[in-house]
Structures are given as C-alpha cells and as structure tokens.
Amino acid sequence: MRSITEGGRQVLGLRLDINGDAFFDYARDGHMIVSFDPTWPPERSGDDPHALDHLMDGLRFQTSDDDVLDDPVEAPESISSALTLIGRVTETDLATDWFLARHSRIRPTS
C-alpha cells in the first residue's frame, strides 16, 4: 500500500484472510498512517495510529470478551464499523449497490 500512495495519494483497505482475521489499513503519501484489527482496535500501528479517531465516533469495533454481558460487540459488527469508517473517510455510502457496482478508479502506476 505504501508504494501506490507515493505522490500524495491515499489508500484505504479492509482485508479478511482465510482464517477470518481482519485488517484495516490507511496509507497516505508513501506512509502507513494507521493499521489495526477491527475486532481489537486498541492495538494500532502506523505513523499516526490515532489519525482517524475523529471519524470513529459511534462505531463499534472491539469484540467483547466472553465475560462482558452488557452490550457485546460481535465480529460482524466490527467489520461493518470498519466499512462505515471507510465510507466516512471517502464520503461514500458503501451500501449494497456500491459493492455490486463496477468501479474503474484504479489507475496504472507510472
């Protein structure tokens, strides 16, 4: 992600691996700004791990421990919150129509 953001570009990513682990990444101008697991956001990495905090109000990421019974957060809600965060950064509604649409904003690198 860092190499494709050189020259002032930004990239947001949400990836899920075959084991069900999730990763949220935000890179800008050749630097990883913030990276975290949506189910455990206290452990963040990057040049500015709290750069997106102002956009995270009302989102629920952390998967609750089994001993927390009031208002638990499940993994699907954490993933949904990560998608909402991407929408807030890009000012795009990431609804079903967006996911099913064809997008052509990928530009070849020079």
Side-chain angles (χ1 to χ4, degrees), residues 15-60:
R15 54 196 162 94
L16 304 165
D17 69 16
I18 196 165
N19 297 316
D21 297 321
F23 305 93
F24 176 93
D25 300 304
Y26 172 55
R28 180 180 63 222
D29 200 22
H31 299 275
M32 182 61 69
I33 304 302
V34 61
S35 182
F36 64 91
D37 175 346
T39 64
W40 194 252
E43 293 183 19
R44 301 181 202 182
S45 61
D47 293 349
D48 186 0
H50 298 283
L52 300 177
D53 284 2
H54 67 285
L55 297 172
M56 295 171 74
D57 285 343
L59 300 179
R60 293 167 35 102

Side-chain angles (χ1 to χ4, degrees), residues 34-109:
V34 61
S35 182
F36 64 91
D37 175 346
T39 64
W40 194 252
E43 293 183 19
R44 301 181 202 182
S45 61
D47 293 349
D48 186 0
H50 298 283
L52 300 177
D53 284 2
H54 67 285
L55 297 172
M56 295 171 74
D57 285 343
L59 300 179
R60 293 167 35 102
F61 288 100
Q62 188 168 333
T63 300
S64 302
D65 293 331
D66 290 337
D67 60 341
V68 177
L69 299 177
D70 58 328
D71 206 18
V73 177
E74 301 295 330
E77 186 175 6
S78 296
I79 300 304
S80 179
S81 289
L83 291 169
T84 300
L85 179 58
I86 290 171
R88 289 178 180 181
V89 172
T90 62
E91 297 179 354
T92 303
D93 181 16
L94 297 179
T96 303
D97 292 343
W98 185 89
F99 277 103
L100 297 177
R102 178 173 282 173
H103 302 281
S104 60
R105 293 191 180 205
I106 297 174
R107 298 179 196 158
T109 56

